[in-house]
Amino acid sequence: IPNPPPPTLTVTRSLPNVIISWPIPADTWLLESATNLSGPFALESPILSTNQQPISTTFPNTSGRKFFRLRKL
């Protein structure tokens, strides 16, 4: 049985914030971030919300770059 592909992250600007979301039931994935695409990536510990909608979290919009990825538990 092949593994399903990872969920797709969606990034939305909602000034002064950035909203990162991905579809449910992808709750076995952890959100990580880095300031450089080559890493190192660190685990984010935001408050996640779902209400049977895509899983999402909000971050302040900073002036620097930030890269996000999902890592399977």
Side-chain angles (χ1 to χ4, degrees):
I1 300 174
N3 289 330
T8 301
L9 283 176
T10 301
V11 180
T12 307
R13 279 209 237 162
S14 179
L15 294 176
N17 299 313
V18 173
I19 300 169
I20 309 291
S21 61
W22 59 96
I24 57 174
D27 56 354
T28 59
W29 295 81
L30 297 174
L31 183 65
E32 297 180 325
S33 70
T35 56
N36 188 321
L37 191 54
S38 61
F41 279 79
L43 178 65
E44 289 285 351
S45 57
I47 297 172
L48 301 176
S49 62
T50 178
N51 292 332
Q52 301 303 317
Q53 301 295 320
I55 299 167
S56 67
T57 187
T58 302
F59 293 95
N61 189 12
T62 60
S63 59
R65 285 191 258 185
K66 199 164 191 181
F67 298 92
F68 294 92
R69 72 178 183 188
L70 291 173
R71 181 174 55 88
K72 184 123 174 105
L73 284 175

